[in-house]
Amino acid sequence: MEYRVLPEIAKLGHVAVVSTDLEKSLWFFKEVVGLEETEEVDGVHYLRAWGDFEHHTLSLTAGDESRVEHIAFRTKRPEDVGYFAELLEEAEVKVEKVPAGVEAGQGESIRFQLPTGHNFELYFEMDQTPADPSRKARLKNQTYKAWRKGISPRRFDHVNIATNEDANLIIDFLVEKLGFKVREYFKLPNGATGSAWLSVTPLVHDIAVMSSPDVKSSHELHHISYFTDNAQDILRAADILTEEGFKFIGPGKHGITQAIYLYIIDPGSGIRLELFSNSYLILEPDWKPVEWSIEEAEFAVTYWGEQTGGASELDKPTINAGGEMSIKI
Amino acid sequence: MEYRVLPEIAKLGHVAVVSTDLEKSLWFFKEVVGLEETEEVDGVHYLRAWGDFEHHTLSLTAGDESRVEHIAFRTKRPEDVGYFAELLEEAEVKVEKVPAGVEAGQGESIRFQLPTGHNFELYFEMDQTPADPSRKARLKNQTYKAWRKGISPRRFDHVNIATNEDANLIIDFLVEKLGFKVREYFKLPNGATGSAWLSVTPLVHDIAVMSSPDVKSSHELHHISYFTDNAQDILRAADILTEEGFKFIGPGKHGITQAIYLYIIDPGSGIRLELFSNSYLILEPDWKPVEWSIEEAEFAVTYWGEQTGGASELDKPTINAGGEMSIKI
Amino acid sequence: MEYRVLPEIAKLGHVAVVSTDLEKSLWFFKEVVGLEETEEVDGVHYLRAWGDFEHHTLSLTAGDESRVEHIAFRTKRPEDVGYFAELLEEAEVKVEKVPAGVEAGQGESIRFQLPTGHNFELYFEMDQTPADPSRKARLKNQTYKAWRKGISPRRFDHVNIATNEDANLIIDFLVEKLGFKVREYFKLPNGATGSAWLSVTPLVHDIAVMSSPDVKSSHELHHISYFTDNAQDILRAADILTEEGFKFIGPGKHGITQAIYLYIIDPGSGIRLELFSNSYLILEPDWKPVEWSIEEAEFAVTYWGEQTGGASELDKPTINAGGEMSIKI
Amino acid sequence: MEYRVLPEIAKLGHVAVVSTDLEKSLWFFKEVVGLEETEEVDGVHYLRAWGDFEHHTLSLTAGDESRVEHIAFRTKRPEDVGYFAELLEEAEVKVEKVPAGVEAGQGESIRFQLPTGHNFELYFEMDQTPADPSRKARLKNQTYKAWRKGISPRRFDHVNIATNEDANLIIDFLVEKLGFKVREYFKLPNGATGSAWLSVTPLVHDIAVMSSPDVKSSHELHHISYFTDNAQDILRAADILTEEGFKFIGPGKHGITQAIYLYIIDPGSGIRLELFSNSYLILEPDWKPVEWSIEEAEFAVTYWGEQTGGASELDKPTINAGGEMSIKI
């Protein structure tokens, strides 16, 4: 009896962001949001939340154009990175191999583009760098002391990507090539899937996909998201942000995901951040994707609270999440 | 290329409780805790929380002795029930096959005992019975409206079992036969594992195992646990319970699991219930179990708040979770 | 040196509401909001929150037109009711004397109209009726057990009245005749006071006054408000209301008062209810009213969250709070 | 008919603390608790919470013995300070007059001792010093931005004093000489009042009085207290304190006052601090003091949660709050 398994993705890992105003982005993510900096290597600042276990969940570097350089997922097993490379190449997806150490803390990885041009990365090896002693939690199961500054979310939660092409180009790829499961989705009047929330974990989504002809390109990032333990933390975040002079959308509660939310733009890079709490877990192995019609959209998107998805200026910007990848074979 | 996979457990399913005072247990779990009753079949009351998706997560029936009839886990795939039966029988574990329908809502299952005599059940098929219209949530991803009565936790979370024998009899079985991973544990001065928190899901534990010579038998249940979305819900629970005249332990926060807790005894059956919130998720595929020494026990068990694990009368009772199983082959 | 003690108001007491759909109003206030009914006398239902100490803080009765029959304040001393009557009559305000018992639980009172026609009542004697034993709190300083049903706010907080005439007609009357202090206010470009928040207690406001040419008459009620202990209770309220099919405004946080808010319309009477939490206390005896310019209005009204004061349908309705008083001399 | 206005106390003002380890006390109150420093004058550090409106609510200075130098209350009117001086001297209480400016920010005041030797101060004039621009709230009704560091309570709440003499020596003085009202109290088996909670404001207590033969002297301080807006803030405080290595009592909920609490000792001065949330307001002018018997003490003191009032080491220390006053006539 011989076993052979398909490669699997374990979780969302991190997002690599290029900012036209790095100093402001660092102030925003470190002082206002309250992320911790693991280290700075060659101009790249590696950040994470106090409850994140990996070396980083967000990297920030300076550049001429604000963009997402790549969105990275961690595989379940070391060998899965190579297996994914094989499977993707068999499917005629161009795969770049990135040597260990190119990204601080990270082992060998592969990078490739979704059919829409979104840049993805898969890796397994990643340092679980301990916090430096002055910031290290007394709790052995927690990386940093919480509540040291700013909003202080617990951990990285999900990404939301957008395209002006057919969402199914992305959804099908995520499901068929990468093993994601659709958890909730909008069904368009023509029967096709509009937006979808997908995950490999019991989180309702590790990644969401939205499409609209109004999106700036085929490969945009709508937002990244960090999670707080309690809904009230989102209200505290609203106080902190308002006192710093920020405008934002929320707080509110999504029908889809059941999450308490607040959306805010990093004034350095223009990247949108969702602060996210509560939500629910899908532990059922035979979960039937929850289908929402367009008629239900208002309820599904904004169960209550300040509306997102509307005409607000704050609701418009997305960030290029594709284009040329920095590492070539 | 042929694939064959090992059977896997997806999640904790339910606990079947026998109560010497069924009426009082029903009052406690339905009116005070606020669980919903899916249906009553042949004297068995099938309950679940508003955010549980399966037919039931707790069943209550009358009996001469309060005990846990079985603790049930759901497999990942339908065929896993049979595969587990084969593997267990190969390992000389006696397995009972329970026909569909013996337990309301449930398909074929198997039952067997841990080496300590704890009664376990594995199943895959389970109705995801919708709530009746008057209680059904408008949210399509939620079973019942929340907050209809009592404490109103979201979902079933975990079980904690106890033995007066070596904890490793259980831990090894859970790991080797059932695929659980140890997430946190106490290391005894002799190098052996004392208590352990294990899961197949990203929850820190679906099941915990405690051992002490003081435990009444080799196969006891220490507690079952339901989860609330917010820490403040535990404070609200404390108000509700105190007004109903209950004594309880907590609120407090565990170091292990990082959960906000409150322990309360069902006055009907004597079963202990933990109300549980916050905690953290383990999404890393290569999680290194967090080791705690006995010297760290106070901090690990009671990070802050009213101590559990102490000499309180409330902290003593456990419930027989083994003995003869009701269904014979 | 001669001293003269002026009569004083101690607190807001209650609001008497006439509803065109009494049954629906009772369902709303008792089942959804979770107020308790002290008793029903001659078709008038006397309600209060679990932490209210007086016989009632809201009365509901059926009528052809939904309106506020009167807004009642409690005086500091028994004799103040008569002193206020004298002072008001000296100022040529017509005063009606209402015998004890006309309103259940209440002693002798006086009723009169503000210059805008709003109906006010002053009383001192009021039963502090205990809850019936099944609902009575074990806490000796609390009337009912909390959290029995619905949103379950702690206590009555304030009223907000509106006029299409000059707000100063009301503000001056409240300050000069009734001893209220302005706590926060909008200064109009012409130097006059627009809206104002006034109190006799350390609450930022027991009563607020708004004026706009768009208000339906000179004597309208904008909303009544009940207080919850924690901001998170407002989020819980939002869940409960959404599941019952309600639309509402909020949650948000006012700059003025610093309160977390949610506005909802009673579907029976059309009266607007504000659920209100946090806020701040003014204990300083020499408080300088906080002045806000019209340019600051957006920030002052909606510090964050879903906007009120806007064009929403929900934000429009007010209820007649004047007209003929029911009790004649 | 002749009226005579008695002088009145408006509120608790501040506590002046001498610490044997000033540096540690400053670290504790500024970095851990998160109080702001208004200024330092002649070695006295003047602190307040972000929502306090006066120049200071706590002062810290170095000394050979940790003690409370005085507890200060603000009068309702400027002339009340002098009137109180007259009344106290008529009652043969020795009164010291303290010139303006001796205490930074403060006008003329009087100091005197309770019959037990507790040092009290009365003042009216106090600067409402604005925060410096970098810390000033955008909210015009709030002094500082909240949540800048540490626990970050909103405002000073109350003091609790202890004596080894008859509590009624203090209670009678507070009621008869200073106009306090008893809100809740313990009735001893002999019919006398044991502990009492008293206020001049609608807070359940501005000051509490406890007596026991075990108290170190006739004039001790049991604790001072700062208020947080939400119960969950107390849980967040527990996390912050535990990570800093502190032991504390709580969280719990008092029956008396209905407050969520946590008690922690300043490691510099040994002064005990209560973090306090929720509670209730007494707006009724004819409040009947809530009487508790000694049999009810456990329930009255610890409605739920980790017990205070017990044998814990943490529960023992009190600080001398009397002795020679620093300012002589």
Side-chain angles (χ1 to χ4, degrees):
Chain A
M1 189 162 58
E2 197 201 354
Y3 297 101
R4 171 90 197 280
V5 294
L6 282 167
E8 286 179 74
I9 290 175
K11 55 165 293 206
L12 173 64
H14 59 266
V15 170
V17 170
V18 180
S19 174
T20 52
D21 190 339
L22 177 61
E23 203 167 328
K24 198 174 278 180
S25 288
L26 286 170
W27 167 76
F28 176 73
F29 281 108
K30 291 173 63 176
E31 302 307 318
V32 179
V33 179
L35 299 187
E36 301 280 353
E37 181 163 331
T38 312
E39 60 178 332
E40 184 261 307
V41 181
D42 298 335
V44 186
H45 295 258
Y46 294 96
L47 309 183
R48 54 181 168 173
W50 54 263
D52 280 328
F53 296 108
E54 295 189 81
H55 178 272
H56 59 281
T57 52
L58 176 67
S59 70
L60 289 170
T61 192
D64 291 339
E65 183 210 12
S66 284
R67 53 192 284 268
V68 171
E69 211 285 331
H70 63 263
I71 298 167
F73 293 86
R74 192 168 188 215
T75 62
K76 259 206 177 155
R77 290 158 292 254
E79 60 272 25
D80 285 348
V81 177
Y83 289 168
F84 269 120
E86 282 174 41
L87 289 172
L88 289 165
E89 284 174 336
E90 278 171 30
E92 306 201 343
V93 176
K94 191 177 154 193
V95 173
E96 297 181 357
K97 288 183 179 148
V98 185
V102 166
E103 193 167 325
Q106 184 171 297
E108 274 190 17
S109 70
I110 59 168
R111 295 189 189 167
F112 56 94
Q113 292 189 324
L114 301 194
T116 44
H118 287 89
N119 294 339
F120 267 41
E121 180 181 63
L122 297 181
Y123 69 96
F124 178 81
E125 301 293 349
M126 179 64 84
D127 291 352
Q128 301 206 359
T129 320
D132 67 77
S134 72
R135 296 180 289 165
K136 191 177 167 62
R138 289 181 70 210
L139 275 172
K140 295 168 99 170
N141 50 19
Q142 186 175 304
T143 308
Y144 295 92
K145 292 179 195 304
W147 306 122
R148 288 182 67 256
K149 55 189 170 156
I151 294 164
S152 202
R154 170 185 282 274
R155 62 170 172 76
F156 193 36
D157 192 86
H158 67 266
V159 293
N160 183 313
I161 60 177
T163 185
N164 60 8
E165 296 188 11
D166 183 351
N168 295 289
L169 287 173
I170 302 175
I171 297 165
D172 291 350
F173 189 97
L174 292 174
V175 170
E176 292 161 17
K177 302 286 185 296
L178 301 179
F180 281 85
K181 282 161 276 183
V182 175
R183 303 311 203 160
E184 306 205 34
Y185 69 103
F186 275 112
K187 189 171 188 177
L188 301 178
N190 65 9
T193 297
S195 305
W197 286 255
L198 306 99
S199 66
V200 289
T201 69
L203 301 177
V204 182
H205 66 324
D206 305 313
I207 185 166
V209 180
M210 310 200 308
S211 81
S212 156
D214 298 337
V215 170
K216 278 188 294 190
S217 80
S218 65
H219 41 74
E220 298 287 310
L221 177 97
H222 188 270
H223 65 262
I224 62 170
S225 175
Y226 279 84
F227 178 87
T228 70
D229 280 351
N230 289 287
Q232 192 192 295
D233 302 332
I234 302 290
L235 308 186
R236 181 175 165 278
D239 280 356
I240 290 170
L241 291 168
T242 303
E243 281 298 322
E244 290 292 348
F246 285 97
K247 295 275 184 190
F248 50 85
I249 292 178
K253 180 172 176 171
H254 292 309
I256 293 168
T257 75
Q258 298 180 30
I260 310 293
Y261 64 79
L262 182 160
Y263 291 94
I264 172 78
I265 305 283
D266 163 25
S269 67
I271 203 175
R272 183 186 288 100
L273 169 69
E274 181 182 22
L275 297 164
F276 188 89
S277 191
N278 292 5
S279 193
Y280 71 104
L281 297 178
I282 298 173
L283 298 170
E284 306 306 332
D286 55 350
W287 182 257
K288 197 169 165 296
V290 179
E291 177 185 306
W292 301 86
S293 69
I294 293 303
E295 288 71 39
E296 296 170 311
E298 192 185 326
F299 180 76
V301 172
T302 311
Y303 183 62
W304 51 251
E306 194 180 19
Q307 281 201 340
T308 178
S312 161
E313 275 316 295
L314 271 171
D315 213 38
K316 292 267 175 59
T318 55
I319 291 286
N320 189 326
E324 216 171 309
M325 280 187 278
S326 52
I327 304 300
K328 294 292 157 197
I329 306 169
Chain B
M1 189 160 61
E2 198 201 353
Y3 298 100
R4 171 91 199 278
V5 292
L6 282 167
E8 287 179 74
I9 289 175
K11 53 167 293 203
L12 174 64
H14 59 265
V15 170
V17 170
V18 180
S19 174
T20 53
D21 190 338
L22 177 61
E23 204 167 329
K24 198 174 276 181
S25 288
L26 286 170
W27 167 78
F28 176 72
F29 281 108
K30 291 173 63 176
E31 303 306 319
V32 179
V33 179
L35 300 187
E36 301 280 352
E37 180 164 331
T38 311
E39 59 177 333
E40 183 262 309
V41 180
D42 297 336
V44 186
H45 295 258
Y46 294 95
L47 309 184
R48 54 181 168 173
W50 55 262
D52 280 328
F53 296 109
E54 295 189 79
H55 179 273
H56 60 279
T57 52
L58 177 67
S59 70
L60 290 170
T61 192
D64 291 339
E65 181 211 14
S66 285
R67 54 191 284 268
V68 171
E69 210 286 328
H70 62 265
I71 298 167
F73 293 87
R74 192 168 187 214
T75 62
K76 261 208 176 152
R77 289 159 292 254
E79 60 271 27
D80 285 348
V81 176
Y83 289 167
F84 270 119
E86 282 175 42
L87 290 172
L88 289 166
E89 284 174 337
E90 278 171 31
E92 305 200 344
V93 176
K94 189 177 157 195
V95 174
E96 297 181 357
K97 287 182 181 149
V98 185
V102 166
E103 193 166 326
Q106 184 171 298
E108 274 190 15
S109 70
I110 60 169
R111 295 188 188 168
F112 57 93
Q113 291 190 327
L114 301 195
T116 44
H118 287 89
N119 293 340
F120 269 39
E121 179 181 64
L122 298 180
Y123 69 95
F124 177 81
E125 301 292 350
M126 179 64 84
D127 292 349
Q128 301 207 357
T129 320
D132 66 78
S134 72
R135 295 182 289 164
K136 190 178 168 64
R138 288 182 71 210
L139 276 172
K140 294 167 99 172
N141 50 20
Q142 185 175 304
T143 308
Y144 295 91
K145 292 179 195 303
W147 306 121
R148 289 181 67 256
K149 57 190 168 155
I151 293 164
S152 202
R154 170 185 281 274
R155 61 169 174 77
F156 193 37
D157 193 86
H158 66 265
V159 293
N160 183 313
I161 60 176
T163 185
N164 59 8
E165 297 189 10
D166 183 350
N168 296 288
L169 286 174
I170 301 175
I171 295 166
D172 291 350
F173 190 95
L174 292 175
V175 170
E176 291 161 17
K177 302 288 185 294
L178 301 178
F180 282 84
K181 282 162 276 184
V182 175
R183 305 309 203 160
E184 306 204 34
Y185 70 102
F186 275 112
K187 189 171 189 176
L188 300 178
N190 65 8
T193 297
S195 305
W197 286 254
L198 307 99
S199 66
V200 289
T201 69
L203 300 177
V204 182
H205 65 325
D206 305 313
I207 186 166
V209 180
M210 311 200 308
S211 81
S212 157
D214 297 337
V215 170
K216 279 189 295 192
S217 80
S218 65
H219 42 75
E220 297 287 311
L221 178 97
H222 188 270
H223 65 261
I224 64 170
S225 174
Y226 279 84
F227 179 88
T228 69
D229 280 350
N230 289 286
Q232 193 192 296
D233 302 332
I234 302 292
L235 308 187
R236 181 176 165 276
D239 280 356
I240 290 171
L241 291 168
T242 304
E243 281 299 321
E244 290 292 348
F246 284 96
K247 295 273 185 191
F248 49 86
I249 292 179
K253 180 171 175 171
H254 292 308
I256 292 167
T257 75
Q258 297 179 30
I260 311 293
Y261 64 79
L262 183 159
Y263 291 93
I264 172 77
I265 305 282
D266 163 27
S269 67
I271 202 175
R272 184 187 287 100
L273 170 68
E274 181 182 24
L275 297 164
F276 188 87
S277 192
N278 291 4
S279 192
Y280 72 104
L281 297 178
I282 298 173
L283 299 170
E284 307 305 332
D286 55 349
W287 182 257
K288 197 170 167 294
V290 179
E291 178 185 307
W292 301 86
S293 70
I294 293 303
E295 288 72 37
E296 296 169 311
E298 192 185 327
F299 180 76
V301 172
T302 310
Y303 182 62
W304 51 251
E306 194 180 20
Q307 281 201 339
T308 178
S312 161
E313 275 317 294
L314 272 170
D315 213 38
K316 292 267 177 57
T318 54
I319 291 287
N320 188 328
E324 213 170 315
M325 280 186 278
S326 52
I327 304 299
K328 294 290 159 198
I329 306 172
Chain C
M1 188 160 58
E2 196 199 355
Y3 297 99
R4 173 100 198 276
V5 172
L6 285 168
E8 285 179 75
I9 290 175
K11 55 165 292 204
L12 173 64
H14 59 266
V15 171
V17 170
V18 180
S19 173
T20 52
D21 190 338
L22 177 60
E23 204 166 329
K24 198 174 278 181
S25 288
L26 286 170
W27 167 76
F28 176 74
F29 282 108
K30 291 174 63 179
E31 302 307 319
V32 180
V33 179
L35 300 186
E36 301 280 353
E37 180 163 332
T38 312
E39 61 178 330
E40 183 261 307
V41 181
D42 298 335
V44 186
H45 295 257
Y46 294 96
L47 309 184
R48 54 181 168 172
W50 55 261
D52 281 328
F53 296 109
E54 295 190 80
H55 178 272
H56 60 281
T57 52
L58 176 68
S59 70
L60 289 170
T61 191
D64 292 340
E65 182 210 15
S66 284
R67 53 191 284 268
V68 170
E69 211 284 329
H70 62 264
I71 298 167
F73 294 87
R74 192 168 187 214
T75 63
K76 261 209 175 151
R77 291 159 292 252
E79 60 272 27
D80 285 347
V81 177
Y83 289 167
F84 270 120
E86 283 174 40
L87 289 172
L88 289 166
E89 284 173 336
E90 278 171 30
E92 305 200 346
V93 176
K94 190 176 156 193
V95 174
E96 297 181 358
K97 288 180 178 148
V98 184
V102 166
E103 193 166 326
Q106 184 171 298
E108 274 190 17
S109 70
I110 60 169
R111 294 188 188 169
F112 57 93
Q113 292 190 324
L114 301 195
T116 44
H118 287 89
N119 293 340
F120 268 39
E121 180 180 64
L122 298 180
Y123 69 93
F124 177 81
E125 301 292 351
M126 178 65 83
D127 292 351
Q128 300 205 359
T129 320
D132 67 78
S134 72
R135 296 180 289 164
K136 191 177 167 65
R138 288 182 69 209
L139 276 172
K140 294 167 100 169
N141 49 21
Q142 184 174 305
T143 308
Y144 294 91
K145 292 180 196 303
W147 305 121
R148 288 181 67 257
K149 55 187 171 161
I151 294 164
S152 202
R154 170 185 281 274
R155 62 170 172 75
F156 193 37
D157 192 88
H158 66 266
V159 293
N160 183 312
I161 60 177
T163 185
N164 60 8
E165 296 189 10
D166 182 350
N168 295 288
L169 286 174
I170 302 174
I171 297 166
D172 292 350
F173 190 96
L174 292 175
V175 170
E176 292 162 17
K177 303 286 186 295
L178 301 179
F180 282 84
K181 282 162 276 183
V182 175
R183 303 310 201 159
E184 305 206 35
Y185 69 103
F186 275 113
K187 189 171 189 177
L188 300 179
N190 65 9
T193 297
S195 305
W197 286 255
L198 306 99
S199 66
V200 290
T201 69
L203 301 177
V204 183
H205 66 322
D206 305 313
I207 185 167
V209 180
M210 310 202 305
S211 81
S212 157
D214 297 338
V215 170
K216 279 189 294 190
S217 80
S218 64
H219 42 74
E220 297 287 312
L221 177 97
H222 188 271
H223 65 260
I224 63 171
S225 175
Y226 279 83
F227 178 87
T228 69
D229 280 351
N230 288 287
Q232 193 192 295
D233 302 332
I234 302 291
L235 308 187
R236 182 176 164 276
D239 280 355
I240 290 171
L241 291 168
T242 303
E243 280 298 322
E244 289 292 348
F246 285 97
K247 296 275 183 188
F248 50 84
I249 292 178
K253 179 171 176 172
H254 292 308
I256 294 168
T257 75
Q258 296 179 30
I260 310 292
Y261 64 79
L262 182 159
Y263 291 93
I264 172 77
I265 305 283
D266 163 26
S269 68
I271 203 175
R272 184 186 287 99
L273 169 69
E274 182 182 23
L275 297 164
F276 188 88
S277 191
N278 292 5
S279 194
Y280 71 102
L281 297 178
I282 298 172
L283 299 170
E284 305 306 331
D286 55 350
W287 182 256
K288 196 168 167 295
V290 179
E291 179 185 304
W292 302 86
S293 69
I294 294 303
E295 288 72 37
E296 296 170 311
E298 193 186 325
F299 180 76
V301 172
T302 311
Y303 182 62
W304 50 251
E306 193 179 23
Q307 281 202 338
T308 177
S312 161
E313 276 315 294
L314 271 171
D315 213 39
K316 292 269 174 59
T318 55
I319 290 286
N320 189 327
E324 213 171 313
M325 280 187 279
S326 53
I327 304 301
K328 296 289 158 196
I329 306 170
Chain D
M1 185 162 58
E2 199 199 355
Y3 297 99
R4 173 97 199 275
V5 174
L6 284 168
E8 285 179 75
I9 290 175
K11 55 167 291 203
L12 173 64
H14 59 267
V15 170
V17 170
V18 180
S19 174
T20 52
D21 189 339
L22 177 60
E23 204 166 330
K24 198 174 276 182
S25 287
L26 287 171
W27 167 77
F28 176 72
F29 281 109
K30 291 174 63 178
E31 303 306 319
V32 179
V33 180
L35 300 186
E36 301 281 352
E37 180 164 332
T38 311
E39 59 178 332
E40 183 261 307
V41 181
D42 298 335
V44 186
H45 295 258
Y46 294 96
L47 309 184
R48 53 181 167 171
W50 54 262
D52 280 329
F53 296 109
E54 296 190 79
H55 179 272
H56 59 279
T57 52
L58 176 67
S59 69
L60 290 171
T61 193
D64 291 340
E65 180 210 16
S66 285
R67 54 191 284 267
V68 170
E69 210 286 329
H70 62 263
I71 297 167
F73 293 87
R74 193 168 186 213
T75 63
K76 261 212 176 148
R77 290 159 292 253
E79 60 271 26
D80 285 348
V81 177
Y83 290 167
F84 269 119
E86 284 174 41
L87 290 172
L88 289 166
E89 284 174 335
E90 279 171 32
E92 305 201 344
V93 177
K94 190 177 157 194
V95 173
E96 297 180 358
K97 285 181 181 148
V98 185
V102 166
E103 192 166 325
Q106 184 171 297
E108 274 190 15
S109 71
I110 60 170
R111 295 188 188 167
F112 57 92
Q113 291 190 326
L114 300 194
T116 43
H118 287 89
N119 294 341
F120 268 39
E121 180 180 64
L122 297 180
Y123 69 94
F124 177 82
E125 302 292 349
M126 179 63 83
D127 292 350
Q128 301 206 358
T129 320
D132 67 78
S134 72
R135 295 180 289 164
K136 191 178 168 63
R138 287 182 70 209
L139 276 173
K140 294 168 99 170
N141 50 21
Q142 186 175 305
T143 308
Y144 295 91
K145 292 180 196 304
W147 305 122
R148 288 181 68 256
K149 54 189 171 157
I151 293 164
S152 201
R154 169 184 283 275
R155 61 170 174 76
F156 193 38
D157 193 87
H158 67 265
V159 293
N160 183 310
I161 60 177
T163 185
N164 60 7
E165 296 189 10
D166 182 350
N168 295 289
L169 286 174
I170 301 175
I171 296 166
D172 292 350
F173 189 96
L174 291 175
V175 170
E176 292 161 17
K177 301 288 185 295
L178 301 178
F180 282 84
K181 283 161 277 186
V182 175
R183 305 309 203 162
E184 306 205 36
Y185 70 102
F186 275 112
K187 189 170 189 177
L188 301 178
N190 65 8
T193 296
S195 304
W197 286 255
L198 307 98
S199 66
V200 289
T201 69
L203 301 177
V204 181
H205 66 322
D206 305 313
I207 185 166
V209 180
M210 311 199 307
S211 81
S212 157
D214 297 336
V215 169
K216 279 188 295 192
S217 81
S218 65
H219 42 75
E220 297 288 310
L221 177 97
H222 188 270
H223 65 261
I224 63 169
S225 175
Y226 279 84
F227 179 87
T228 70
D229 280 350
N230 289 286
Q232 193 191 295
D233 302 333
I234 302 292
L235 308 187
R236 182 176 164 275
D239 279 356
I240 290 171
L241 291 168
T242 304
E243 281 298 321
E244 290 291 350
F246 285 97
K247 295 275 185 190
F248 50 85
I249 291 178
K253 179 170 175 172
H254 293 308
I256 293 167
T257 75
Q258 296 179 31
I260 310 293
Y261 64 78
L262 182 159
Y263 292 93
I264 172 78
I265 305 282
D266 163 26
S269 67
I271 203 174
R272 183 186 288 99
L273 169 69
E274 182 183 23
L275 298 164
F276 188 88
S277 191
N278 292 2
S279 192
Y280 71 103
L281 297 178
I282 298 173
L283 300 169
E284 305 306 331
D286 55 348
W287 182 256
K288 196 169 168 295
V290 178
E291 179 184 305
W292 301 86
S293 70
I294 294 302
E295 288 72 36
E296 295 169 311
E298 191 186 328
F299 180 76
V301 172
T302 310
Y303 183 61
W304 51 251
E306 195 180 21
Q307 280 201 341
T308 177
S312 161
E313 275 315 294
L314 272 171
D315 213 40
K316 291 269 175 56
T318 54
I319 289 286
N320 188 327
E324 213 171 314
M325 281 185 278
S326 52
I327 305 300
K328 295 288 159 198
I329 305 170

